[in-house]
Amino acid sequence: MTTPAIMLMVLSLLIVWGGLVVSIFVLRARPERADYPAGGDDDHREDDHVVEHDT
């Protein structure tokens, strides 16, 4: 491999792995979102039976 190819490979590896490391640190600093938008009321759809269609 030539010197420019090795430099480009090292640069791309630093970008990819550096982005992974930065994202891990950001997720450790703020693991969950605290300000969710207001949602709707629970309509208990999981309590209903599954609708079966005759096809």
Side-chain angles (χ1 to χ4, degrees):
M1 291 177 72
T2 63
T3 303
I6 293 172
M7 289 174 52
L8 186 61
M9 181 182 69
V10 169
L11 178 67
S12 63
L13 286 172
L14 285 174
I15 289 173
V16 170
W17 289 105
L20 176 65
V21 170
V22 168
S23 65
I24 288 172
F25 283 129
V26 169
L27 284 173
R28 289 187 72 189
R30 290 200 229 166
E32 291 187 23
R33 186 174 173 182
D35 56 337
Y36 287 108
D41 295 329
D42 187 15
D43 59 357
H44 301 286
R45 288 187 189 182
E46 65 272 0
D47 296 337
D48 294 337
H49 65 282
V50 177
V51 177
E52 294 182 19
H53 297 282
D54 188 27
T55 55

